[in-house]
């Protein structure tokens, strides 16, 4: 089968959050299982040049439209860990992908609509025989409509379009004239059955458009699928989700077991497996604390590795920092945000604790530091208000760090409380709480730290359970394969 993923993020070359990891892992796994897979991404100027050394020109004179204006594009290809990646370079006067960032530009809607149309133009002109177009979140949702309303009429055929919703919170709301710029008359689609936003009736909703026009819709965990269909859980799109539930399926994400592997991870101070996890983790912790100029300690090392978005339960992350200090532990925060107010608030926190040798706050995206943090930490906290799937808790399990999570979305599907879960004891792998408030956070941290200090055997058992769980893409990619085959 020939599958084309069309995406705004791809690990490790263009990553903001989990979307990048998921497309990478999903694509690599279906390639391993015999599919021909290509991933299409904008050629952002923020891609590290070391990835671009073997660039190959695939298409030189690709003309595509922005309104009535024609613009010139080039399509390049590279191999990333044996995966073929196509990069669209837009020679557009607005320099859409030369912004030093993937998102948070004022014209994000125009940037990704332009990308969606140009990708289809290339696929049409390239004459490739494609089975599946797999699109992800609002940035590439318009591909489904453009394919069905424009490119199919031109003679470009695929067997099906699959939309994966990674996070329903971001929907790509815009004015109808944005659609018109892509070559379809926007006002025509401003109806409840089409792309009209259910909350702002004058707006077009790109994600809703993806849902209307895709042949299959998936989302990233079973619990999240239920949550978004429930009243108030779908950010306004509940009715559309229910209307399309026959084509909607929740499939739990995996993590790329080759990339996230403490036995081979090139970023670690010392690699380790389940067999020597205790020595391995303790060596990594020692070196890590030294690197960050923190004090050596016997207390628990607690971390949070997260986009700093309100959805992540930011007040509970801050609370954990203070709780950890009071309880003779150490806390590491690796977080990034494009929101200036959140950035300022966390910079103040960073300043407040700059001299404290038990706290380290890093407010940038840093892949190496993240890997080292997973390996060194005893506990990771994920107190999200909402979490479609969440990858950090799964990566933590793979590296022998115990997750403390709020039971929501994919966190509920992957973390089973040591004291309260119905799972057999050897399947319990963390600590969970229900309501995202300080008393519950306090109580769950208390349980986790007490167990760390007082029940080393149970702790060891949980590390074993986490490190030996198969959270790879293998299982989930079969479910995707089933959908591709059906289409
Ligand atoms: P989301 O997609 O909402 O950001 P996920 O838990 O699904 O959350 O995925 C987060 C991914 O991003 C993980 O791979 C995590 O390690 C990584 N990550 C988050 N923040 C940072 C950061 N500041 N530096 C490095 N990696 C980060």
């Amino acid at each position: 089968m020939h599958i084309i993923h069309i995406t705004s993020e791809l690990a490790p070359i263009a990553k903001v959050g989990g979307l990048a990891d998921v497309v990478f892992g999903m694509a690599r796994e279906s390639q391993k299982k015999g599919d021909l897979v290509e991933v299409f991404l904008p050629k952002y100027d923020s891609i590290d040049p070391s990835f671009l050394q073997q660039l190959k020109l695939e298409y030189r004179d690709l003309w595509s439209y922005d309104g009535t204006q024609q613009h010139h594009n080039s399509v390049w290809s590279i191999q990333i860990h044996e995966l073929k990646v196509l990069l669209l370079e837009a020679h557009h006067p607005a320099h859409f992908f030369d912004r030093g960032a993937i998102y948070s530009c004022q014209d994000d809607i125009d940037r990704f609509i332009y990308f969606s149309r140009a990708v289809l133009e290339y696929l049409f002109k390239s004459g490739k025989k494609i089975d599946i177009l797999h699109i992800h979140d609002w940035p590439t949702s318009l591909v489904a409509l453009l394919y069905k309303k424009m490119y199919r009429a031109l003679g470009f055929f695929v067997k099906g379009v699959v939309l994966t919703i990674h996070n329903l919170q971001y929907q790509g709301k815009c004015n109808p004239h944005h659609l018109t710029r892509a070559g379809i008359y926007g006002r025509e689609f401003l109806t409840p059955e089409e792309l009209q936003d259910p909350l702002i009736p004058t707006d077009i909703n790109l994600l809703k458009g993806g849902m209307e026009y895709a042949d299959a819709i998936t989302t990233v965990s079973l619990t999240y699928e239920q949550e978004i269909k429930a009243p108030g859980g779908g950010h306004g799109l509940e009715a559309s989700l229910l209307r399309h539930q026959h084509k909607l399926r929740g499939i739990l994400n995996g993590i790329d077991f080759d990339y996230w592997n403490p036995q081979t991870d090139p970023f670690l101070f010392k690699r380790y497996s389940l067999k020597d996890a205790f020595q391995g983790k303790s060596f990594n912790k020692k070196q890590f604390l030294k690197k960050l100029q923190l004090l050596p300690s016997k207390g628990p090392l607690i971390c949070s590795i997260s986009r700093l978005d309100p959805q992540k339960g930011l007040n509970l992350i801050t609370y954990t920092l203070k709780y950890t200090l009071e309880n003779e532990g150490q806390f590491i925060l690796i977080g990034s945000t494009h929101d200036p107010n959140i950035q300022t608030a966390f910079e103040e926190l960073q300043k407040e604790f700059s001299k404290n040798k038990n706290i380290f706050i890093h407010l940038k995206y840093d892949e190496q530091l993240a890997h080292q943090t997973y390996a060194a930490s005893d506990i990771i906290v994920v107190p999200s208000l909402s979490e479609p799937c969440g990858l950090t808790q799964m990566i933590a399990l793979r590296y022998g760090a115990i997750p403390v999570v709020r039971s929501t979305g994919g966190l509920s599907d992957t973390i089973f409380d040591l004291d309260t879960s119905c799972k057999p004891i050897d399947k319990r792998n963390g600590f969970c709480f229900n309501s995202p408030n300080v008393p519950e956070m306090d109580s769950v941290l208390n349980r986790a730290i007490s167990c760390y200090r007082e029940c080393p055997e149970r702790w060891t058992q949980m590390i074993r359970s986490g490190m030996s769980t198969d959270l790879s893409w293998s299982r989930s990619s079969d479910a995707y394969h089933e959908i591709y085959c059906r289409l």
Side-chain angles (χ1 to χ4, degrees), residues 154-341:
L154 295 171
F156 172 60
F157 294 106
V158 300
K159 307 227 169 72
V161 181
V162 179
L163 165 70
T164 296
I165 300 172
H166 299 258
N167 194 338
L168 197 70
Q169 194 179 317
Y170 310 105
Q171 299 180 0
K173 298 188 187 192
C174 59
N175 191 284
H177 79 75
H178 288 282
L179 282 196
T180 308
R181 278 178 72 170
I184 41 177
Y185 184 53
R187 292 217 152 265
E188 197 182 300
F189 292 90
L190 202 61
T191 67
E193 300 73 37
E194 293 282 352
L195 278 69
Q196 186 178 47
D197 184 70
L199 303 178
I200 313 169
T202 49
D203 272 8
I204 285 289
N205 183 316
L206 294 177
L207 186 65
K208 182 175 176 235
M211 287 159 48
E212 299 296 333
Y213 281 89
D215 301 297
I217 308 169
T218 68
T219 189
V220 292
S221 70
L222 278 92
T223 299
Y224 192 59
E225 184 203 340
Q226 298 309 321
E227 287 174 353
I228 58 180
K229 287 191 297 192
H235 298 271
L237 292 180
E238 297 85 345
S240 304
L241 286 160
L242 287 172
R243 198 166 64 248
H244 292 295
Q245 63 177 330
H246 60 282
K247 59 179 187 184
L248 171 66
R249 180 164 168 194
I251 301 174
L252 185 68
N253 282 335
I255 52 172
D256 190 304
F257 256 37
D258 295 331
Y259 185 71
W260 295 108
N261 183 356
Q263 270 181 279
T264 54
D265 191 328
F267 294 128
L268 303 194
F269 297 104
K270 183 178 195 294
R271 293 170 203 151
Y272 59 94
S273 65
L274 179 57
K275 272 197 208 130
D276 59 354
F278 304 99
Q279 298 90 314
K281 280 191 74 67
S282 118
F283 187 85
N284 275 291
K285 186 171 176 178
K286 218 163 154 186
Q287 297 302 314
F288 182 68
L289 294 175
K290 206 157 144 193
K291 166 177 164 168
L292 304 184
Q293 299 180 335
L294 300 187
L295 289 171
S297 153
K298 285 206 162 43
L301 180 62
I302 302 183
C303 76
S304 164
I305 302 171
S306 181
R307 283 185 304 111
L308 296 176
D309 184 285
Q311 174 201 345
K312 300 289 181 182
L314 299 180
N315 65 324
L316 298 180
I317 294 177
T318 312
Y319 179 78
T320 306
L321 180 152
K322 295 178 179 161
Y323 182 98
T324 309
L325 267 189
E326 281 164 18
N327 287 278
E328 291 157 15
Q330 294 178 301
F331 188 82
I332 312 289
L333 169 63
I334 318 284
S336 53
T337 177
H338 289 293
D339 181 321
N341 295 327

Side-chain angles (χ1 to χ4, degrees), residues 11-57:
I13 63 174
K15 174 165 162 178
V16 175
L19 168 62
D21 293 298
V22 170
V23 179
F24 179 68
M26 190 189 274
R28 285 228 305 173
E29 189 65 28
S30 53
Q31 178 166 283
K32 258 193 227 161
K33 290 186 169 155
D35 292 324
L36 172 60
V37 185
E38 295 172 276
V39 182
F40 227 122
L41 184 78
K43 187 169 178 291
Y44 299 110
D45 63 348
S46 52
I47 297 176
D48 187 318
S50 65
F51 289 116
L52 302 177
Q53 282 164 8
Q54 310 288 329
L55 266 190
K56 214 176 109 200
L57 188 63

Side-chain angles (χ1 to χ4, degrees), residues 76-140:
W76 302 89
S77 71
I78 42 170
Q79 297 284 331
I80 300 289
H81 298 276
E82 288 118 51
L83 185 65
K84 184 167 178 187
V85 180
L86 296 164
L87 298 170
L88 182 93
E89 180 176 17
H91 306 291
H92 187 288
H95 302 287
F96 280 145
F97 305 115
D98 302 333
R99 308 289 181 78
I102 293 178
Y103 309 116
S104 300
C105 304
Q106 275 188 340
D107 56 354
D108 276 357
I109 296 279
D110 294 319
R111 297 166 71 221
F112 291 109
I113 286 184
Y114 182 84
F115 174 64
S116 300
R117 166 125 194 222
V119 166
L120 278 168
E121 187 70 21
Y122 165 77
L123 295 175
F124 168 51
K125 292 213 171 118
S126 70
K128 289 177 193 238
K129 296 269 171 286
I130 295 158
D131 294 300
I132 301 291
L133 297 177
H134 195 146
I135 56 182
H136 300 270
D137 276 350
W138 77 263
T140 56

Side-chain angles (χ1 to χ4, degrees), residues 15 17-18 21 306-307 312 364-366 374 390-392 395:
K15 174 165 162 178
D21 293 298
S306 181
R307 283 185 304 111
K312 300 289 181 182
K364 284 206 182 93
Y365 184 87
D366 190 327
Y374 287 116
L391 299 179
T392 58
I395 303 169

